[in-house]
Amino acid sequence: MFVEMEEEVPPEEFNVLWSFAGRCSEELSIRRGDQVNVHAKISPEWWWAELRGVFGYVPASYLHKGSTEDGEEEEDMWQNEEYYDIYGTLNLHLEMLSDKSRTEAYRQVIVNNSASLHRKVVMDLGCGTGIVSLFCAQLAKPTAVYAVEASSMVEHTRELVKQNACEEVITVLQGRAEEIQLPEQVDVLVSEWMGNCLVFEFMVESVLLARDRWLREGGTMWPSSAALTLVPCQAHRYYAEKMAFWEKPYGLDFTPLQPLALQEFFAKPKFSHLMEPGDALASPTDVICLDMHTLQVADLEEMQGGFQFSLEKSGIFHGFTAWFSVSFKSLEEGGAAVELNTGPESEPTHWKQTLFMLDVPISVHAGDAISGTIILRRNPIWRRHLTVTLNWEISGYTQVRQMKHSLCMII
Ligand code: GJV
């Protein structure tokens, strides 16, 4: 009876999201877009499946129920429901608006370019409460500003536009930038899309899609370029707080908890880190630079950069700190660009910096060199997430050390 019932369960159809090469005869080789029949979910990681009459194990995370063309399933991978729900409440908008460096940078861009914005058409992608659109309408004289917002905040944005007497210029459009229709192409596409480690949330993809669709030939992107910066650093306080703590709390030896602490605190980046400028062991360097006029959506899958730091002081190498900066080019020939820098030498922003801790701190000396690569790999399934991999070596050390960090924050 039991066996019969098992046989009655029909296999479930799944789509292959990501190609996988079987490493032995037990594993099935699958390609993105294939449809496989899953006969048994052996473990959370490995399922027993069939493709064109051949059976084998496949990694469960490479499969997705339903068609990959299916809009609803795509939405899932973008976590759009949670994402836009969060932006439908005031909390994050308050955080963003009270970030003076951020908001003032956008205001400064409008002020500096007010003359050139005259009679221009602007799109403000992800306008939130509409602050940038309002700056545009009040500080410059554009013909039209299309303020696009997908979250329910948009209802209040409309009210704010009215309240500030800008409804002649600003048209608030409710919906995702990927889906809305504008009555015309735009001269300027402005957006505040940057996340932790620059690209987290991957709102940048929406910006690129909107650019290709709505920005007129020769139009301007604000920001126009973006860079991710890295520096090897000390992090005595964080190390003491999360790791050294277990050495002798209340006179007791709690060191058996240190492997757990490593897993819990150092295997993921620390997002709201404020690095003391004095904690830098070398001069920071830009590892990834994006040109917002030429960047393609496909480029986002994997972004790589190299670094070679020459240490300027001796100390303890605890990890790497990363942050980003963006630049807004002037609409005028030769005009000065506006910069927004989220680094430790600038006014702190709500993004702060991101700290990647080493498993084990290393004593280093002035003159040592730390060189390597950073790879930002977009998650093939959870499209707003990414993995950051840092490969590095120190001169004088023969072995290449590898540290792998996964940014997998659920918003
Ligand atoms: N279409 C419309 N609005 C969007 C989109 C999109 N594709 N993506 C994000 N938003 N710097 N990481 C909105 C979102 O609802 C929120 O109000 C704002 O843009 C995010 C801006 C800050 N996030 C960021």
Side-chain angles (χ1 to χ4, degrees):
M1 183 62 189
F2 181 64
V3 173
E4 254 177 42
M5 267 184 66
E6 274 233 314
E7 279 179 351
E8 269 173 28
V9 177
E12 280 180 77
E13 208 168 79
F14 279 84
N15 265 283
V16 176
L17 290 171
W18 210 245
S19 299
F20 169 76
R23 295 158 299 181
C24 60
S25 60
E26 289 268 276
E27 292 177 1
L28 197 59
S29 289
I30 49 177
R31 297 240 308 263
R32 184 180 162 86
D34 280 344
Q35 288 212 327
V36 297
N37 291 310
V38 172
H39 287 255
K41 295 176 178 170
I42 309 293
S43 74
E45 292 84 24
W46 293 94
W47 292 351
W48 184 249
E50 175 258 332
L51 172 69
R52 292 185 278 273
V54 183
F55 282 81
Y57 287 102
V58 292
S61 62
Y62 284 48
L63 304 181
H64 201 68
K65 198 70 177 275
S67 156
T68 40
E69 309 298 316
D70 192 313
E72 240 174 70
E73 300 295 338
E74 284 277 340
E75 289 263 303
D76 249 20
M77 292 150 68
W78 279 88
Q79 300 165 291
N80 276 345
E81 218 174 285
E82 296 143 85
Y83 183 78
Y84 291 120
D85 272 0
I86 288 174
Y87 282 116
T89 62
L90 268 189
N91 202 27
L92 281 184
H93 293 287
L94 179 61
E95 188 182 26
M96 295 188 289
L97 290 172
S98 18
D99 180 340
K100 279 247 169 63
S101 314
R102 166 200 180 266
T103 309
E104 287 291 354
Y106 279 81
R107 199 175 77 94
Q108 200 57 53
V109 175
I110 308 303
V111 168
N112 287 11
N113 290 279
S114 65
S116 310
L117 279 168
H118 186 53
R119 301 213 179 153
K120 293 282 194 313
V121 177
V122 179
M123 174 178 182
D124 174 7
L125 196 166
C127 67
T129 50
I131 187 90
V132 176
S133 296
L134 291 164
F135 286 155
C136 266
Q138 296 208 329
L139 304 168
K141 292 270 165 293
T143 315
V145 178
Y146 298 104
V148 180
E149 175 55 50
S151 78
S152 58
M153 188 51 60
V154 76
E155 291 152 34
H156 306 288
T157 313
R158 280 211 184 90
E159 202 183 330
L160 297 177
V161 166
K162 233 189 210 152
Q163 191 77 11
N164 290 280
C166 290
E167 70 264 49
E168 298 272 285
V169 177
I170 304 174
T171 308
V172 179
L173 298 167
Q174 176 161 19
R176 290 172 49 198
E178 292 85 336
E179 289 160 358
I180 45 100
Q181 293 292 330
L182 299 187
E184 58 188 322
Q185 292 224 302
V186 304
D187 301 294
V188 176
L189 197 173
V190 61
S191 181
E192 193 278 86
W193 51 264
M194 301 80 70
N196 281 304
C197 267
L198 184 61
V199 291
F200 179 69
E201 286 179 45
F202 283 93
M203 180 177 165
V204 63
E205 174 169 326
S206 306
V207 174
L208 299 182
L209 294 173
R211 176 198 67 190
D212 294 346
R213 195 142 171 232
W214 298 110
L215 187 67
R216 72 154 172 81
E217 189 81 33
T220 298
M221 296 291 289
W222 278 342
S224 327
S225 63
L228 186 73
T229 308
L230 196 70
V231 73
C233 65
Q234 312 195 107
H236 285 291
R237 177 135 32 109
Y238 189 58
Y239 187 84
E241 214 175 89
K242 302 294 186 198
M243 192 56 69
F245 174 86
W246 309 105
E247 279 161 20
K248 233 175 177 25
Y250 305 97
L252 299 165
D253 183 353
F254 270 39
T255 52
L257 293 183
Q258 281 183 328
L260 213 59
L262 193 70
Q263 198 53 36
E264 204 168 320
F265 305 120
F266 294 176
K268 291 225 164 139
K270 176 180 186 258
F271 287 109
S272 14
H273 183 58
L274 278 176
M275 191 187 90
E276 298 283 335
D279 278 342
L281 293 167
S283 298
T285 182
D286 289 352
V287 285
I288 288 170
C289 296
L290 307 179
D291 178 336
M292 293 305 292
H293 291 92
T294 56
L295 182 68
Q296 299 296 312
V297 172
D299 301 335
L300 302 173
E301 291 303 323
E302 189 167 306
M303 291 180 278
Q304 249 204 68
F307 49 83
Q308 178 125 38
F309 295 105
S310 173
L311 301 197
E312 285 157 17
K313 61 174 161 199
S314 304
I316 306 293
F317 174 30
H318 280 116
F320 291 95
T321 297
W323 62 87
F324 68 84
S325 60
V326 291
S327 170
F328 304 77
K329 72 170 188 190
S330 170
L331 291 176
E332 283 155 40
E333 196 79 33
V338 174
E339 303 273 343
L340 167 59
N341 192 316
T342 65
E345 302 271 3
S346 306
E347 268 299 297
T349 67
H350 76 288
W351 289 283
K352 301 185 181 146
Q353 290 107 37
T354 307
L355 172 64
F356 299 91
M357 288 294 277
L358 307 187
D359 286 359
V360 182
I362 300 171
S363 186
V364 288
H365 302 97
D368 281 355
I370 299 177
S371 56
T373 57
I374 181 169
I375 308 172
L376 271 52
R377 209 171 274 124
R378 193 170 178 185
N379 190 302
I381 295 154
W382 302 105
R383 303 305 280 158
R384 293 198 184 274
H385 299 263
L386 72 149
T387 304
V388 176
T389 308
L390 284 150
N391 293 299
W392 49 271
E393 59 186 354
I394 308 180
S395 66
Y397 284 71
T398 45
Q399 179 191 10
V400 176
R401 288 164 186 272
Q402 208 190 55
M403 52 188 276
K404 208 175 153 124
H405 276 283
S406 175
L407 273 111
C408 204
M409 222 160 58
I410 304 292
I411 323 168

